Amino acid sequence: MQHRANISGVILAGGKSARMGTDKALLKVGPYTLIETIAGVFRTLVDEILVVTGRPEKFARYGDKAVRDILPGHGPLGGIHAGLVQAVHSRVLVAACDMPFISAPLARFMIELPGDYDVVVPRYRGYAEPLCAIYGKGCIEVIEQRLTRGQNKITGFYEQVRVRYVEEEEMFQVEPHLERVFLNLNTPGDLKKARSLGGWY
């Protein structure tokens, strides 16, 4: 049995899926829905899974608890905030519900990094990947300040907290398929690409 760290998992399932035309979390890439895949990976890594969603009755069974945004209408940053506030543990591993190739080895690597950081976030091809990252409860206050001002960009608060960027050369040591890991599905074309990459046509 895998060792599970003292960390909570937060799956963000509150998006409108407008470009996909259907609920992304319940699409299948391979034999499982996206949210089932992510929850399955999280079970090997965390002690608690929270699903942040506007429809708790629909998604409660995929985690230990389904919670709503505390400050609604602010997109993924509002979801991260809700997860942080309501998590049992002081850190949360966050994933968007539309990432079919989330990597357990990479997530474990980030969880086990030494140091006292508020955010641990991958940086791939020069850009942070804030929806596949770890956040600490020390972020709550600064996130709330930004949300109340309508500043919803996730990475916008990074300069106010202690951030550990995980660079490509580090990630490649534990996960050779980064181009898949950070693929998120927004359109039917993205879904087709993911199924092709996974060998499910």
Side-chain angles (χ1 to χ4, degrees):
M1 182 176 176
Q2 293 271 22
H3 168 69
R4 292 186 294 175
N6 291 327
I7 187 170
S8 298
V10 171
I11 302 174
L12 302 178
K16 294 182 173 62
S17 303
R19 283 186 285 169
M20 188 65 76
T22 188
D23 200 318
K24 292 191 289 186
L26 300 179
L27 290 171
K28 284 190 173 183
V29 174
Y32 303 104
T33 64
L34 295 178
I35 195 167
E36 284 173 335
T37 296
I38 295 166
V41 171
F42 271 24
R43 286 286 175 211
T44 71
L45 297 166
V46 303
D47 290 331
E48 173 195 41
I49 297 176
L50 288 80
V51 182
V52 183
T53 174
R55 293 159 294 169
E57 68 288 344
K58 189 172 186 177
F59 292 107
R61 66 191 182 96
Y62 298 106
D64 299 303
K65 185 163 54 172
V67 301
R68 295 179 183 270
D69 286 357
I70 298 166
L71 299 170
H74 295 281
L77 185 58
I80 293 169
H81 170 260
L84 277 170
V85 170
Q86 299 181 71
V88 169
H89 295 297
S90 62
R91 296 191 302 159
V92 301
L93 172 65
V94 169
C97 71
D98 62 352
M99 301 180 71
F101 301 110
I102 187 167
S103 168
L106 177 55
R108 188 174 298 282
F109 176 78
M110 294 196 300
I111 289 168
E112 294 177 351
L113 279 173
D116 186 18
Y117 301 103
D118 297 304
V119 179
V120 177
V121 59
R123 185 153 49 192
Y124 180 58
R125 293 180 176 172
Y127 294 95
E129 295 286 346
L131 295 181
C132 180
I134 294 170
Y135 297 88
K137 285 185 179 282
C139 298
I140 291 173
E141 185 176 349
V142 66
I143 292 176
E144 286 179 353
Q145 290 169 357
R146 294 186 67 83
L147 292 178
T148 56
R149 293 196 294 262
Q151 297 170 328
N152 300 331
K153 183 179 179 181
I154 301 174
T155 57
F157 78 93
Y158 282 11
E159 63 186 22
Q160 297 173 260
V161 296
R162 297 162 297 178
V163 179
R164 167 63 154 90
Y165 289 99
V166 185
E167 306 295 353
E168 285 184 45
E169 56 268 27
E170 297 178 278
M171 293 189 280
F172 275 124
Q173 295 175 25
V174 294
E175 176 51 71
H177 303 294
L178 295 180
E179 74 285 351
R180 299 196 330 179
V181 171
F182 300 119
L183 176 68
N184 65 303
L185 310 187
N186 291 310
T187 67
D190 295 335
L191 178 61
K192 183 177 180 180
K193 178 180 178 180
R195 288 172 172 165
S196 175
L197 284 170
W200 300 292
Y201 297 96

